[in-house]
Amino acid sequence: MNRLVALLSVLFLVAINSHVVQAAGTVESARKKGFLAVGVRMDAPPFGFTERSSGELVGIDVEFAKAIASRLGVSLKLKPVTSEERIPELLSGHIDLIATPMTRTPDRLMLVDFSRVYFHSSQRVLARKGAVSSITDLAGKKVAVAPGSAAERNLKTKAPGAILKSYGDIRKAVDALRSGEVDAISASILVLNGSLSALPKGEYEIPKSVVVSDEGLRLAVRKSDSEFLDLVNATISELAGSGEDRNIFDRYLKNGTTPSNAAPAPQAAGVVTRLAATEGRLVVLSMKGVFRPGAEVSIFDPEGSFVGKGTVESTYEDEVYIDAPQIGKGLVQRGFAATMNYDNEAAKKGILAHQDIIKRVTQAAKQEDAQRIAEEGRQFEQEKKERAKYQDEMAKTKMTLDYQYGDYGYYPYPWGW
């Protein structure tokens, strides 16, 4: 069951102090303005980073962006973005393409369209040296994962015996590994490689023999921008067909780099996608700007009415964990807005301006609930049939025993000779 259908409601937040761009028309608009604006990471080597010698943004994703701009016949304009900023920047029209290490997930697919895979990655585990040598070794071990992530979903299937522990911040997961609170961390190899470098050398490893799943990195465009998506896919196919993509990978995967960090935006907005297991904690998808840990946030209902205050506990990529225990239980639901450094009037204005989207989200949520109820009904009917079958078999068994031994002791006939 998809728990994140209500993610579509975040679209109304994009309009707060921004200009919403129509879904289609990137090819035409890029050629008209003469450049393609692409969001890249400047702290994610080898995909996007600042080269020390030149100070320029370089990396695998930058090379793919160059190829796409060239195919369009326009110049390339790179804009540094963080994981939290990338979708908001695309939806607001500040960039035309997301070229960052990004996997396709059901919640993100609600907001953007994805290209074909341009780089194959994998989900692995990080643990103390020698502690894990196979998937089966994870049984009974405490494994740190990001809540709602592909790692969490995959481990439930591939290693059902593992004890999964949710951490919204990879740094906290690494601290938990060092302290012994968990036995391993499972995430993308790209994330784990960065975490491994922060641990004592020689004490930890990412075992090559443990591969939880293969993942594919993709580029992202605005929803329904089919002409541009076709062009992006054609460029990826062309690079793969000519072997140029392999040259790009080899060139950057061999280079050592030191990342730099992008400064957080002064304002941020997002939408509640689910309620965490921790009492009073909300999981929010960041849709505009960057939420700062420790910052105060305001919570609004879908009509723009102020509900209460909360505090950013931590962030993990584009997900934000907000603690709001002072708000009564049950008062915050999926689709509520969370804002940082917006006044109530500005937040409400943005919400009320997009009631059409909210209605669509409400309908989608009702459809999800109906599907869930129908599925539960099917399961109940199946269990009912199985119980009836079991009871029928037991009744037949009892009749057979009654016939053989009678109701009054060990007699051969039921009428008691």
Side-chain angles (χ1 to χ4, degrees):
M1 180 181 67
N2 180 8
R3 299 177 300 170
L4 301 177
V5 166
L7 279 173
L8 285 174
S9 60
V10 300
L11 291 176
F12 67 79
L13 291 169
V14 176
I16 301 177
N17 290 347
S18 66
H19 299 288
V20 180
V21 174
Q22 296 297 323
T26 297
V27 170
E28 181 181 351
S29 64
R31 286 174 176 163
K32 184 175 181 179
K33 64 189 179 183
F35 65 88
L36 181 71
V38 180
V40 297
R41 290 283 295 273
M42 58 185 295
D43 59 350
F47 292 89
F49 60 97
T50 303
E51 190 174 48
R52 282 185 175 276
S53 58
S54 65
E56 295 181 355
L57 281 172
V58 296
I60 293 173
D61 291 334
V62 175
E63 296 299 326
F64 275 81
K66 287 179 180 178
I68 293 168
S70 176
R71 192 179 185 92
L72 262 174
V74 299
S75 61
L76 176 64
K77 180 179 179 181
L78 297 174
K79 180 174 182 180
V81 295
T82 64
S83 294
E84 300 92 340
E85 295 170 331
R86 56 192 177 187
I87 292 180
E89 291 292 281
L90 179 67
L91 297 183
S92 64
H94 296 155
I95 59 175
D96 303 310
L97 174 72
I98 298 176
T100 69
M102 194 176 188
T103 57
R104 183 173 63 185
T105 64
D107 53 331
R108 291 170 182 160
L109 197 54
M110 293 286 181
L111 306 173
V112 300
D113 282 337
F114 286 93
S115 72
R116 57 168 292 184
V117 172
Y118 70 97
F119 185 89
H120 289 276
S121 182
S122 61
Q123 180 190 334
R124 308 282 284 277
V125 296
L126 170 61
R128 286 191 177 274
K129 210 161 190 178
V132 179
S133 58
S134 68
I135 289 287
T136 56
D137 288 342
L138 295 176
K141 286 185 168 57
K142 297 176 182 178
V143 184
V145 295
S149 65
E152 182 181 53
R153 294 193 299 271
N154 292 333
L155 280 176
K156 287 180 179 179
T157 302
K158 300 293 182 65
I163 304 169
L164 304 185
K165 300 290 185 179
S166 295
Y167 289 86
D169 191 321
I170 186 63
R171 292 168 297 182
K172 293 186 177 181
V174 172
D175 290 341
L177 179 63
R178 295 188 68 169
S179 66
E181 293 179 28
V182 297
D183 303 298
I185 302 172
S186 185
S188 163
I189 185 65
L190 302 172
V191 174
L192 296 183
N193 276 332
S195 301
L196 181 61
S197 63
L199 291 167
K201 191 173 182 179
E203 296 183 23
Y204 298 84
E205 65 176 349
I206 303 172
K208 293 182 179 179
S209 58
V210 184
V211 179
V212 180
S213 69
D214 289 323
E215 297 177 349
L217 299 184
R218 303 169 187 265
L219 307 176
V221 304
R222 282 181 283 273
K223 293 294 288 184
S224 303
D225 199 349
S226 57
E227 183 182 10
F228 183 47
L229 182 60
D230 289 343
L231 185 144
V232 170
N233 283 331
T235 305
I236 294 173
S237 297
E238 185 178 282
L239 292 176
S242 65
E244 179 58 24
D245 62 345
R246 177 52 54 190
N247 294 333
I248 293 172
F249 300 148
D250 289 345
R251 182 160 71 250
Y252 285 101
L253 289 171
K254 293 176 181 178
N255 290 340
T257 59
T258 302
S260 57
N261 295 316
Q267 294 179 314
V271 67
V272 176
T273 59
R274 64 181 186 276
L275 307 181
T278 302
E279 186 70 24
R281 180 166 296 174
L282 316 174
V283 182
V284 171
L285 183 69
S286 178
M287 292 305 302
K288 179 177 177 59
V290 178
F291 284 90
R292 297 190 300 269
E296 183 182 74
V297 296
S298 297
I299 309 297
F300 299 87
D301 67 17
E303 285 72 42
S305 298
F306 176 75
V307 177
K309 294 284 188 179
T311 304
V312 178
E313 191 274 334
S314 60
T315 63
Y316 183 81
E317 291 195 339
D318 45 17
E319 288 188 336
V320 183
Y321 298 82
I322 294 175
D323 286 339
Q326 64 273 29
I327 299 178
K329 186 176 181 180
L331 293 181
V332 179
Q333 304 294 332
R334 292 186 310 171
F336 278 43
T339 65
M340 183 184 77
N341 293 337
Y342 281 103
D343 60 44
N344 293 2
E345 184 178 350
K348 184 173 183 177
K349 184 178 179 181
I351 293 169
L352 294 180
H354 292 79
Q355 288 298 302
D356 56 333
I357 296 177
I358 294 176
K359 289 179 181 178
R360 281 191 294 155
V361 172
T362 302
Q363 184 178 2
K366 287 180 178 179
Q367 290 175 352
E368 178 189 337
D369 291 339
Q371 291 173 355
R372 174 180 55 79
I373 292 172
E375 179 61 27
E376 291 175 351
R378 285 192 292 269
Q379 292 178 358
F380 175 79
E381 289 299 323
Q382 181 62 30
E383 292 173 356
K384 184 178 178 180
K385 290 179 181 179
E386 292 176 354
R387 286 195 301 269
K389 182 179 178 181
Y390 174 76
Q391 291 172 352
D392 184 56
E393 292 175 349
M394 290 298 295
K396 289 179 180 178
T397 301
K398 183 178 183 302
M399 289 176 62
T400 301
L401 293 174
D402 287 347
Y403 179 79
Q404 291 179 345
Y405 300 109
D407 292 331
Y408 308 102
Y410 296 102
Y411 292 95
Y413 303 104
W415 47 85
W417 279 69

